[in-house]
Amino acid sequence: IFFRFSASSFGKFPEDETMPPAKETPLPRMETSIIACIQLGEAVAITMLFPVVPFLVREFPEVDAADHSQVTFYASILASVFQFAQFISSFWWGSLSDTLGRKPILLIGLASSCATNILFGFAQSLKAAMVARALGGLMNGNVAVAKTYMREITDATNQGKGFAMFGTVWGLGSIIGPILGGYLSFPSTRMPGLFPQDSLFGIHPFLLPSLCSALVSFSAFVLGFCFLRETRPPSLTVFHLMRKKSRNWDRMEESVESPKPAPAPSGCFSSKGRAALLEVLRTPGVTPVILANTNLGFFVTAAQELLPLWATTPPSEGGLAFQPSDISNVNVWMGVCLIFWNTFVLTRINRAVGSIRMFKYAACCWPFIIGFTPFTHLLLGDKALLWTVMLVAFTIRPLAGCCSFTGIGLLINNSVSNNVGALNGFAQSPVSLTRGGA
C-alpha cells in the first residue's frame, strides 16, 4: 500500500527537474569538505555504538547480564533514546537555522556532540548513559541543517553529486565508527598491558571510543568555526538587536509614557514563521515526500539497529552468536560498499532515471533485503558459505540505501524554495520518532 501511495504521489514532481544537465558546475570544495567533516562526526557518533550496545548494557548495575531478553530490551532503549530526543528538537533547530543562520546551528550541534560523547563515555549507569544520549539528540540538529546548507551551495547541475556526498561520508563513518566501538571498547580486556582493570579506561570501558568520537566532532567544529561561510544571513541576532536598541534609545525614552509595541521578529517562533511553515506543508507533493521519508527511516533503522541484537543472540534462539569484532567487520564492509556506490555509481543512476524513479526502485528492494537476512541463520553449519552469502547481501544493501536516501533527500529539498531549513527539520522529526520506535 505504501509503495503504491508513494509512487502515485511522486508523479506530481516533474522528472525533468531532477535530471541535471550535461554540463556540471564544480562543487565548492571548501564548503563541501567542511560539511563532509561535520557529517563524519555525526556518523561516527551514531555508528560506533552499534557493535557493542548489547555488551555495554551488560556492564550497567541495573541490568541482569544473564537475562538475554532484559539485555536486548535495555539495549534497544539506549539505542533509540537519541532518536526520540531528535524527534523533539529537529524541527526547532531547522527553523532556527532559517532565523539565525546555518553556521551557528551547525557549530552548536558539533559542540554538543563532542560534550555528550564524553559524558556517555563516563557513564557508569544506564540512567546516566540514557541522559547523555538524550542530550546528544536534543542539542543537535545537524542532520537537517547540513542538507539545507548543501542545497544552498549547489545548483541543478551538481545537486545530485552534492547529496551523494552524504552517503559517501556516512559510509566512511560506518567504517570508522564500528572500528572505534568494536575494537577500542573494553580496552582492559583486549589490551590489559596498556589499560589495567583499575585504570581510567578499565573503569569506563566505553570512554576510549567516546573520546575518539568527540575528537572527530571537535576537529569539525574548529574547521567550521574558522572556514565555513554563512549561506543564509541571519535575520535576528543579538548584535542586531543591541545596535537597534542603541540607535533608538533616545526615541524610546521620549515615548516611554505611551510606548508602541515592538514588531515581532519574522523568525520561526512567530506567528508569521508558523504560517510560512503551514504554507510549505500545503505545497503539493510535500506531504507524501515526508511520509515516504518517515517510512524509509523506520524500516531501514529497524534493520540497522536490530542487526547487532539479532547477530549476538545465541544460535538456539535464532541468532549467530557474533562477537563485537564480527559485527564491526560487517559494518565496515557495508561502509566500504557504500563509499563505492556513492562515488562511482549513484550519480550515473540519478542521471539515467531521475531522483523519483531512483527512490522508487531502491525502496521496493528493501523488504526483500530485510526479510532475507534472518534466514542466514540456517547456514551456521558452513561458516564459509555463511560469510559469502552475508557479504553478497550486505553489498546490495548499501546500494539500496544510497539510492533511496539520496533520492528522497533531493525530493525534499526541491519541494519548496523558501523555509527550507524548517522543512528539513520538520521532515527529520517524524523520521527520528519512527527510528526511536524501531
Side-chain angles (χ1 to χ4, degrees), residues 176-244:
I176 299 175
I179 288 177
L180 294 179
Y183 290 95
L184 296 184
S185 59
F186 303 95
S188 60
T189 303
R190 299 176 180 275
M191 299 167 282
L194 291 176
F195 305 99
Q197 190 66 40
D198 58 349
S199 66
L200 180 65
F201 295 104
I203 298 172
H204 305 282
F206 206 67
L207 178 59
L208 185 58
S210 296
L211 289 176
C212 293
S213 176
L215 180 61
V216 176
S217 297
F218 178 75
S219 302
F221 177 88
V222 173
L223 289 174
F225 182 82
C226 296
F227 303 109
L228 189 67
R229 67 178 176 89
E230 181 60 76
T231 58
R232 182 181 179 87
S235 60
L236 183 65
T237 63
V238 174
F239 175 75
H240 173 75
L241 293 176
M242 292 177 64
R243 184 175 60 180
K244 185 176 181 180

Side-chain angles (χ1 to χ4, degrees), residues 346 349-350 353-362 403 406-407:
L346 180 63
I349 295 177
N350 187 39
V353 302
S355 301
I356 300 174
R357 291 193 181 98
M358 180 175 69
F359 168 75
K360 289 183 193 176
Y361 299 155
C403 290
T406 302

Side-chain angles (χ1 to χ4, degrees), residues 71-351:
V71 170
T72 303
F73 173 74
Y74 285 116
S76 62
I77 291 179
L78 183 61
S80 62
V81 67
F82 179 88
Q83 302 294 346
F84 281 127
Q86 281 207 326
F87 161 70
I88 299 172
S89 65
S90 289
F91 166 69
W92 301 111
W93 287 120
S95 300
L96 277 173
S97 73
D98 287 334
T99 304
L100 303 180
R102 315 298 183 204
K103 181 175 179 176
I105 303 303
L106 289 170
L107 293 180
I108 290 173
L110 288 170
S112 66
S113 179
C114 181
T116 54
N117 268 307
I118 296 175
L119 287 175
F120 184 78
F122 278 104
Q124 289 188 290
S125 67
L126 182 63
K127 292 180 180 178
M130 291 178 64
V131 168
R133 292 283 290 176
L135 287 175
L138 285 173
M139 298 299 296
N140 192 336
N142 284 0
V143 173
V145 179
K147 292 177 182 178
T148 307
Y149 189 95
M150 180 60 70
R151 178 189 185 274
E152 293 171 341
I153 63 173
T154 57
D155 55 34
T157 67
N158 58 10
Q159 193 177 73
K161 192 173 183 179
F163 274 80
M165 181 273 297
F166 289 112
T168 303
V169 174
W170 181 267
L172 183 59
S174 299
I175 296 173
I176 299 175
I179 288 177
L180 294 179
Y183 290 95
L184 296 184
S185 59
F186 303 95
S188 60
T189 303
R190 299 176 180 275
M191 299 167 282
L194 291 176
F195 305 99
Q197 190 66 40
D198 58 349
S199 66
L200 180 65
F201 295 104
I203 298 172
H204 305 282
F206 206 67
L207 178 59
L208 185 58
S210 296
L211 289 176
C212 293
S213 176
L215 180 61
V216 176
S217 297
F218 178 75
S219 302
F221 177 88
V222 173
L223 289 174
F225 182 82
C226 296
F227 303 109
L228 189 67
R229 67 178 176 89
E230 181 60 76
T231 58
R232 182 181 179 87
S235 60
L236 183 65
T237 63
V238 174
F239 175 75
H240 173 75
L241 293 176
M242 292 177 64
R243 184 175 60 180
K244 185 176 181 180
K245 183 176 180 180
S246 176
R247 288 178 177 178
N248 296 305
W249 184 259
D250 294 335
R251 187 184 306 172
M252 292 170 63
E253 286 185 339
E254 293 173 0
S255 60
V256 67
E257 294 183 358
S258 57
K260 296 181 180 180
S266 59
C268 62
F269 300 105
S270 66
S271 58
K272 183 178 179 180
R274 291 192 295 270
L277 178 60
L278 291 176
E279 186 68 25
V280 166
L281 295 178
R282 293 191 187 104
T283 303
V286 169
T287 300
V289 169
I290 292 176
L291 291 175
N293 187 45
T294 303
N295 279 273
L296 179 68
F298 171 74
F299 58 74
V300 172
T301 303
Q304 191 172 36
E305 296 190 351
L306 287 175
L307 177 62
L309 300 177
W310 163 73
T312 56
T313 302
S316 60
E317 300 179 20
L320 301 177
F322 272 11
Q323 297 299 313
S325 57
D326 297 321
I327 303 174
S328 295
N329 293 336
V330 172
N331 282 281
V332 167
W333 174 256
M334 287 195 291
V336 171
C337 294
L338 191 59
I339 292 174
F340 174 81
W341 294 131
N342 276 283
T343 305
F344 300 105
V345 178
L346 180 63
T347 304
R348 291 180 172 88
I349 295 177
N350 187 39
R351 287 176 177 174

Side-chain angles (χ1 to χ4, degrees), residues 375-396:
F375 289 100
T376 55
H377 162 75
L378 303 175
L379 304 176
L380 269 177
D382 189 338
K383 290 288 186 181
L385 181 60
L386 171 66
W387 278 102
T388 301
V389 171
M390 290 189 68
L391 289 179
V392 172
F394 291 129
T395 300
I396 300 173

